[in-house]
Amino acid sequence: MKECSDIILCAEATELSKTEFCNPAFEPESGPPPPAFREDASCSVPAPWHGRRPRGLQPDCHFSWLCVLLLASLLLLLLGLLVAIILAPCGGLLPGPRGFFSSPNYPDPYPPNAHCVWHIQVAAGHAVQLKIEALSMESVASCLFDRLEISPEPEGPLLRVCGKVPPPTLNTNASRLRVAFVSDSSVEGSGFHAWYQAVTPGNGNCAHDEFPCDQLVCLLPDSMCDGFANCADGSDEANCSTKLLGCGGNLTGLQGTFSAPSYLQRYPHQQLCTWHISVPAGRGVELQLHNFSLEAQDECELDYVAVYETSTSGALGLLGRFCGAEPPPRLISSSHQLVVLFRTDRGISSGGFSATYRALNATENPCGPGEFSCRDGGCKSLQWMCDTWRDCTDGSNGNCSGPLLPPPELACEPVQVEMCIGLSYNATAFPNIWVGMATQEEVMEVLRSYKSLTSLPCYQNFRRLLCGLLVPHCTPTGSVLPPCRSVCQEAELQCQSGLALLGTPWPFNCNRLPEAAGLEACAQP
C-alpha cells in the first residue's frame, strides 16, 4: 500500500498563504504533476483542503521551518550576549598588564544586595597598581554596609573603602589582587570606577595631587599634618606648626597659626571644620582669635566657633561658643589638647577669622579650665563673662558686643535620635567632632542603614556602642564623653560572630576608646 503522508504535508498551504509560508521557487510552471502527487485510488485518506485538489508541486514547507529555526537560534544567541553584557561587569578575572572595571550599572545607581569579586592578575615579577578614580556609595563608619574590599591574593591585609572620597593610589607588592564590591538592601549611589596597571615592584607612583611617602605610599592632601605619621619617615607631618590649613587639621607644634577657609574673603557655606591642637603633656595652651568676623546673630547657632578642652580620658569640655564681629577673649587651658570647631550654615557669610596658639609652661598658665584671663592677669569663670557685672578689676570682661553663647552648662541638648532614646543618659551635644556630624538629623540618616541589624541577638549591645559614638553623652557640666572601652569590647564579644555570618568583620578598634577611670572619663550608655 502506498503511503499518503506526502499528500498532507502542506495541508495549510493554500493559494492564499503560499507566499507567506512557502517558497514559490519550488513550484513548477506547467506540466502534469509528478508521480508522487498523482491520485491513487488506494489512498482513502480524505484531502484536508476540503474538496480542493492541489495543482502542481506543493511548496517546500521544510524550508520555511528551517528559517524559523535559524531565526530562533539567532534570537537565543542575541539574548545570551545581552545577559553576558549585563552580568560581565559584576566581577570576574582581569588578566593582562592594565584594565578598567566598575560597579554594576555605573554611573547609574548600583543594585541592592550585590556581591561582585574581581581577581586582578598581572605577570609574575610585576606588581598591581590600583587607582579608584570615582567613588560614590553609602558612607558609614568603618564601611559596615556598602563597601569595596581590597586585599592581595592568596592572603594579606584587608583595605575597606566607602563614602564619597576616592582613596589615594594603591601601590602593592603583589601580582594578584582581589577587589570585592558589596552592597546591602538600602541606600545606593553611583558606585565606583577604577583602573589598574602592572608596575615594577617598588617603582609605583602617586597622582599629582597626592603626597608620596618614602615607601611609595600615597596620601590624600587631608592626611598631611593630621597629627598621625602616615609615612615611615614622618615627612607628612613635617613643618606643620606654621602651615596655614584649610578646613580643619591637626596642629602639633609648640606654636602655630590657622584660619577659616577663604580667610579675609567670604567663607564658604555649610562648613564643619575641626582643628585639633596638641602640645606636649604637662603644658597648657593659649589660644587667641584675630580679625574675627562671623554672621551677626542673637545666639551662636548659625555660624560660630566653639572651643573645647580635651581631658586625658578623651572627654570634651566646652570652653565657649563665639559669633558676631568682635574677637573672643584670650583663652587659656590647663589641658595640653584643645579642639576648635568652625561651623557655617546656608545663609550669610563673612570674612572668618585667623587664630594663633602657643604652648604654656606650668608657671605660665595662670588660669584653669573653663576660665578666661583678665588684662590684669586674673582669671574668671567663663560663665561670668558678659553678664553685665565687672568681674575683672580692670573692667575687662572681654569684648561683649559679640555674645558668648551658650555657657558651658547649657551646651547639652535632648537626645532626639529614636534608636538612642532610653539609654542611661538623655542629653547629647552637637556638632559631634569625633565623627564629623553637625546635627542629630544627620545621625538619623546614617542610622537608617543599621535597621537591618535589629534582628541580631546582640543588637542591644551594638546599639549602646553605636549611640555612644554617634550621639555621645553630654554631662550637666558641658563635658562630652565617649563610650567606655568595655562597652565596645562587650559589643564585639557578643556581635562578632553574628556579623561574620553577614560577611562583615568587626568594624571598630576598641583600644582607641578610654577605659573607665572615673565618672568623667567615659560613658556607659
Side-chain angles (χ1 to χ4, degrees):
M1 179 180 292
K2 192 181 282 187
E3 295 291 338
C4 297
S5 59
D6 291 334
I7 300 176
I8 61 174
L9 281 176
C10 281
E12 72 278 11
T14 64
E15 290 183 4
L16 295 176
S17 63
K18 68 180 181 180
T19 57
E20 184 175 354
F21 295 102
C22 301
N23 191 345
F26 286 86
E27 185 176 0
E29 295 182 357
S30 61
F37 284 87
R38 290 175 186 166
E39 185 176 2
D40 193 328
S42 64
C43 181
S44 60
V45 179
W49 46 83
H50 305 291
R52 297 184 60 184
R53 193 179 298 272
R55 293 179 301 153
L57 181 66
Q58 290 299 306
D60 187 356
C61 293
H62 289 287
F63 182 80
S64 297
W65 286 112
L66 180 62
C67 293
V68 171
L69 290 175
L70 288 175
L71 288 174
S73 300
L74 181 60
L75 288 175
L76 288 175
L77 178 61
L78 292 175
L79 181 61
L81 289 174
L82 180 61
V83 172
I85 291 173
I86 293 174
L87 296 180
C90 189
L93 179 64
L94 299 175
R98 62 184 57 85
F100 296 85
F101 61 103
S102 58
S103 54
N105 302 334
Y106 181 83
D108 293 327
Y110 51 79
N113 302 313
H115 187 262
C116 313
V117 180
W118 293 267
H119 298 274
I120 302 174
Q121 294 184 4
V122 299
H126 289 74
V128 178
Q129 183 187 61
L130 177 67
K131 177 60 178 177
I132 300 174
E133 292 281 3
L135 182 70
S136 177
M137 61 179 66
E138 184 179 4
S139 179
V140 177
S142 301
C143 300
L144 189 60
F145 297 109
D146 299 356
R147 62 192 182 271
L148 276 174
E149 296 179 346
I150 305 169
S151 60
E153 290 187 313
E155 61 182 4
L158 176 69
L159 172 66
R160 286 182 155 213
V161 177
C162 63
K164 310 295 183 184
V165 179
T169 304
L170 178 63
N171 294 301
T172 76
N173 292 319
S175 60
R176 298 169 59 192
L177 201 66
R178 178 184 184 272
V179 181
F181 170 71
V182 180
S183 68
D184 64 358
S185 59
S186 63
V187 187
E188 298 153 7
S190 60
F192 75 95
H193 178 69
W195 58 261
Y196 74 92
Q197 64 179 359
V199 297
T200 303
N203 290 327
N205 51 47
C206 302
H208 70 279
D209 58 342
E210 298 172 349
F211 181 82
C213 291
D214 56 335
Q215 295 180 343
L216 293 179
V217 174
C218 302
L219 301 179
L220 296 177
D222 290 346
S223 296
M224 296 175 60
C225 299
D226 63 351
F228 299 95
N230 300 289
C231 299
D233 61 357
S235 57
D236 57 312
E237 296 299 312
N239 301 318
C240 292
S241 60
T242 59
K243 181 178 178 181
L244 284 176
L245 300 177
C247 185
N250 279 52
L251 300 170
T252 56
L254 293 178
Q255 60 185 11
T257 64
F258 59 97
S259 61
S262 304
Y263 172 56
L264 296 180
Q265 302 176 19
R266 293 194 175 274
Y267 50 75
H269 300 296
Q270 292 185 285
Q271 296 292 298
L272 182 59
C273 310
T274 306
W275 291 269
H276 297 265
I277 301 173
S278 180
V279 300
R283 296 198 175 193
V285 181
E286 178 189 71
L287 176 69
Q288 287 187 288
L289 301 174
H290 312 282
N291 298 324
F292 198 81
S293 179
L294 271 60
E295 178 183 0
Q297 53 195 289
D298 293 334
E299 296 185 354
C300 297
E301 295 181 348
L302 305 177
D303 297 354
Y304 61 83
V305 170
V307 182
Y308 296 86
E309 189 176 52
T310 306
S311 68
T312 54
S313 67
L316 296 175
L318 179 67
L319 294 182
R321 186 180 292 186
F322 308 93
C323 58
E326 298 295 336
R330 180 176 62 129
L331 295 175
I332 295 178
S333 170
S334 59
S335 170
H336 71 287
Q337 292 180 326
L338 282 184
V339 177
V340 180
L341 185 142
F342 175 50
R343 183 189 177 191
T344 67
D345 65 355
R346 298 173 179 266
I348 301 171
S349 64
S350 190
F353 66 92
S354 67
T356 58
Y357 78 92
R358 70 184 183 97
L360 298 175
N361 293 324
T363 56
E364 296 181 277
N365 187 1
C367 299
E371 295 180 330
F372 70 92
S373 59
C374 302
R375 293 195 194 104
D376 60 3
C379 300
K380 297 296 180 181
S381 173
L382 281 174
Q383 64 178 317
W384 308 124
M385 179 181 241
C386 300
D387 62 351
T388 72
W389 294 92
R390 293 179 178 268
D391 301 294
C392 295
T393 56
D394 58 1
S396 58
N397 277 32
N399 199 325
C400 296
S401 58
L404 171 67
L405 292 170
E409 64 270 16
L410 298 180
C412 302
E413 60 186 65
V415 173
Q416 299 174 354
V417 179
E418 182 180 359
M419 181 186 289
C420 303
I421 294 176
L423 296 175
S424 63
Y425 59 89
N426 54 18
T428 184
F430 277 81
N432 185 337
I433 65 173
W434 289 317
V435 296
M437 292 185 180
T439 64
Q440 293 195 62
E441 287 73 19
E442 290 185 25
V443 175
M444 293 178 192
E445 287 294 324
V446 170
L447 289 182
R448 287 194 182 123
S449 303
Y450 286 88
K451 289 186 177 179
S452 59
L453 299 180
T454 56
S455 59
L456 289 176
C458 68
Y459 170 69
Q460 291 301 329
N461 299 89
F462 193 77
R463 167 179 171 248
R464 293 176 60 216
L465 172 62
L466 204 58
C467 290
L469 290 170
L470 300 182
V471 189
H473 179 199
C474 182
T475 69
T477 60
S479 296
V480 183
L481 306 180
C484 294
R485 186 181 303 175
S486 59
V487 176
C488 181
Q489 292 171 336
E490 181 66 21
E492 180 179 12
L493 178 65
Q494 299 295 329
C495 297
Q496 196 168 23
S497 59
L499 290 177
L501 295 176
L502 300 177
T504 301
W506 180 250
F508 303 106
N509 181 3
C510 296
N511 292 328
R512 299 188 64 179
L513 296 174
E515 294 182 341
L519 294 177
E520 291 297 314
C522 56
Q524 296 279 352

